[in-house]
Amino acid sequence: MAYSNYFILLSAFLLIILSQTSSAQPSFRPKALVLPATKDSSTGQYVAEVKQRTPLVPVKVTIDLGGQYLWVDCEQGYVSSTYKPSRCRSAQCSLANSQACGDCFSGPKPGCNNDTCGLSPDNTIIRLGTSGELAQDVLALESTNGNNPGRVVSVPNLLFTCAPTFLLEGLASGVKGMAGLGKSKIGLPSQLASAFSFKRKFAICLSSSKGVIFFGDGPYNFLPNHDLSSGLTYVPLLTNPVSTAGSYFEGESSVEYFIGVKSIRVNNADVPLNTTLLKISSDGFGGTKISNVDKYMTLEPSIYKAVTDAFVKAASNVPRVNAVAPFRICYNSKNFLSTRLGLNVPLIELVLQSSSVSWQIYGANSMVDVGNGVVCLGILDGSLVNPNTNIVRTSVVIGAHQIEDNLLQFDLAASRLGFSSLLYGQRTTCGNFNFTSVA
Ligand SMILES: *[C@@H]1O[C@H](CO)[C@@H](O)[C@H](O)[C@H]1NC(C)=O
Ligand SMILES: *[C@@H]1O[C@H](CO)[C@@H](O)[C@H](O)[C@H]1NC(C)=O
Ligand SMILES: *[C@@H]1O[C@H](CO)[C@@H](O)[C@H](O)[C@H]1NC(C)=O
């Protein structure tokens, strides 16, 4: 009797402690965070929903793997009791490397305060930039143990940049900003890692429907039963010494993710290329980057010609059909065998630091279904993509179509990329994370 009374008392006491710790959020330290990202069918953008402000409201953002930081529209509908503009010469301004200080005369309000520092948020979809106030506010995301989303955790003072409403042009419906996952100190991966003291690693696994982003280390468990954080192939991440952002301060390096492609093979044969173009030059040209805002792999014109010629030759037993823009090389899909890795078309390989390490691009990531039984090689000629800017700034851009259903882990501390190769080979997909919350 005495014992059970004691037990009831003890459990009441425990309950009080538990309820106290759950309201005092910092005492729960997540090992990783998870953010579902869904492909918007009309724009092809990957859209995620975070919670921000006080009280918390859902904010949809377009994901930009190489983006500098989070920026959101503060001009319309930004209401928060915890919004804090970053004062000139504060630690926040120096962390963000902002050297621009200013006043704003139509405030005070979010995005418009005196004596604040600013940055230049970019809409990388339509390549438009502007200036905006640096600020901090609460951001909340779901934690994960690697299996499911768990309880929501929040960062009290996440740095982001305010933008005017016009910067939303071209973004998917309902989207209020962009989430930059680039390697800057105020990119989401670095800020979230330091807020929760976890490894400066994150992973993306995008798909043509629902995909997922993890902040922090694995396990990253996908149904039926795979921890995709093990069994990755690792290659170094390289630094491009010149920023690739729309505007930047002198001396800033690029926050995008570059890897060292040494050569390109089609069906095991080296494609003859000017390999100087594959290196990053001291003025920031050339090299290979991974971008999810470029929908398809985009190549410098001479590389485009060499790779597509090799592909056409390797598939010369299959008749071509009329091109469907923006693609040039199209076929009747029924002329290729269907395999687990997509249509059985010539294999394209990006050879990395040694000839035995390559990024293999199988049919599912090389061919695009354009309807009416026609598939086209999903590679674009860089000179046609943006005739005005960035014509051949980066020689090889590995685009969204090429990274779908591949898990990519970016380790900022070790400066390396881990990649899984096409997950269909392991009988899973990026849509196979178990999104049932266990909070
Ligand atoms: C900024 O300061 C000026 C005076 O220097 C004042 O007129 C203006 O109202 C202030 N704006 C804000 C947003 O506080
Ligand atoms: C290779 O590309 C580099 C960089 O654009 C250029 O300077 C060089 O002339 C090219 N070499 C050949 C053989 O075309
Ligand atoms: C997903 O996770 C939930 C919660 O742990 C579990 O009940 C469910 O069985 C899982 N789904 C599958 C398909 O394993």
Side-chain angles (χ1 to χ4, degrees):
M1 197 61 187
Y3 177 79
S4 66
N5 271 342
Y6 173 69
F7 182 71
I8 290 165
L9 230 143
L10 186 71
S11 35
F13 184 56
L14 267 175
L15 264 177
I16 292 165
I17 292 181
L18 281 176
S19 60
Q20 276 177 347
T21 46
S22 62
S23 61
Q25 278 224 328
S27 63
F28 170 72
R29 218 171 73 191
K31 279 171 43 200
L33 308 176
V34 64
L35 182 63
T38 304
K39 190 169 185 173
D40 175 70
S41 55
S42 64
T43 59
Q45 291 162 30
Y46 301 92
V47 175
E49 188 174 286
V50 295
K51 291 199 169 61
Q52 198 201 25
R53 310 169 202 182
T54 305
L56 288 172
V57 291
V59 179
K60 282 189 180 164
V61 287
T62 290
I63 298 296
D64 180 0
L65 175 64
Q68 311 180 82
Y69 39 72
L70 173 71
W71 65 259
V72 302
D73 172 15
C74 295
E75 190 180 327
Q76 280 182 43
Y78 196 110
V79 178
S80 176
S81 62
T82 44
Y83 179 88
K84 293 184 203 72
S86 300
R87 297 296 168 197
C88 293
R89 292 166 299 279
S90 62
Q92 289 76 28
C93 298
S94 60
L95 186 71
N97 194 29
S98 167
Q99 298 155 27
C101 236
D103 286 342
C104 179
F105 297 96
S106 55
K109 60 186 177 193
C112 181
N113 291 280
N114 275 347
D115 190 34
T116 55
C117 66
L119 290 174
S120 306
D122 268 340
N123 175 332
T124 49
I125 303 286
I126 58 163
R127 295 176 197 252
L128 179 68
T130 183
S131 58
E133 176 170 282
L134 183 68
Q136 291 173 297
D137 210 335
V138 176
L139 187 83
L141 292 173
E142 286 170 310
S143 59
T144 185
N145 57 5
N147 296 313
N148 297 81
R151 60 198 273 186
V152 172
V153 292
S154 61
V155 183
N157 290 304
L158 189 110
L159 279 164
F160 69 103
T161 301
C162 275
T165 306
F166 74 76
L167 201 62
L168 300 176
E169 190 189 328
L171 300 186
S173 158
V175 163
K176 297 293 178 215
M178 295 186 79
L181 307 183
K183 56 185 177 183
S184 80
K185 286 185 189 144
I186 62 162
L188 277 187
S190 295
Q191 285 200 72
L192 295 172
S194 71
F196 297 109
S197 311
F198 52 62
K199 297 230 171 78
R200 280 208 301 145
K201 288 183 185 181
F202 73 101
I204 62 170
C205 201
L206 301 176
S207 86
S208 56
S209 52
K210 195 165 188 178
V212 59
I213 298 168
F214 300 97
F215 296 99
D217 209 348
Y220 312 132
N221 288 325
F222 284 67
L223 301 168
N225 219 337
H226 292 294
D227 172 13
L228 296 181
S229 67
S230 60
L232 300 175
T233 301
Y234 294 98
V235 296
L237 286 169
L238 307 182
T239 297
N240 182 329
V242 183
S243 175
T244 44
S247 73
Y248 53 92
F249 295 106
E250 180 84 28
E252 278 183 347
S253 57
S254 175
V255 301
E256 292 194 89
Y257 297 102
F258 284 78
I259 56 172
V261 171
K262 296 273 167 57
S263 62
I264 301 178
R265 286 189 207 133
V266 172
N267 266 4
N268 285 316
D270 275 325
V271 175
L273 307 169
N274 178 348
T275 51
T276 306
L277 295 166
L278 294 178
K279 301 193 180 96
I280 304 170
S281 69
S282 56
D283 53 357
F285 281 76
T288 300
K289 73 176 182 185
I290 306 167
S291 162
N292 79 307
V293 301
D294 291 84
K295 289 186 184 162
Y296 305 101
M297 173 175 268
T298 304
L299 301 176
E300 182 279 336
S302 71
I303 300 178
Y304 175 83
K305 183 169 189 315
V307 169
T308 53
D309 284 354
F311 187 93
V312 166
K313 205 170 142 206
S316 58
N317 57 329
V318 180
R320 283 169 62 186
V321 300
N322 288 338
V324 177
F327 308 112
R328 294 196 193 135
I329 295 156
C330 301
Y331 303 91
N332 238 313
S333 61
K334 67 174 195 307
N335 287 331
F336 295 104
L337 282 176
S338 227
T339 75
R340 195 138 57 88
L341 304 175
L343 294 177
N344 186 26
V345 297
L347 175 67
I348 300 172
E349 281 175 283
L350 306 177
V351 181
L352 298 161
Q353 74 264 41
S354 75
S355 59
S356 61
V357 180
S358 72
W359 178 317
Q360 302 183 314
I361 303 173
Y362 296 98
N365 290 123
S366 62
M367 305 310 285
V368 178
D369 183 346
V370 295
N372 298 319
V374 174
V375 290
C376 301
L377 179 61
I379 300 184
L380 302 179
D381 177 341
S383 68
L384 301 181
V385 173
N386 247 284
N388 308 318
T389 56
N390 258 358
I391 300 177
V392 283
R393 174 69 190 272
T394 301
S395 300
V396 178
V397 179
I398 302 173
H401 187 67
Q402 280 70 38
I403 62 176
E404 283 185 355
D405 290 315
N406 288 248
L407 181 120
L408 305 179
Q409 186 192 50
F410 299 85
D411 181 339
L412 304 190
S415 197
R416 66 176 188 173
L417 165 73
F419 62 98
S420 66
S421 191
L422 182 59
L423 295 175
Y424 305 166
Q426 300 180 49
R427 297 185 190 275
T428 190
T429 73
C430 286
N432 276 359
F433 183 69
N434 186 340
F435 291 102
T436 308
S437 173
V438 292

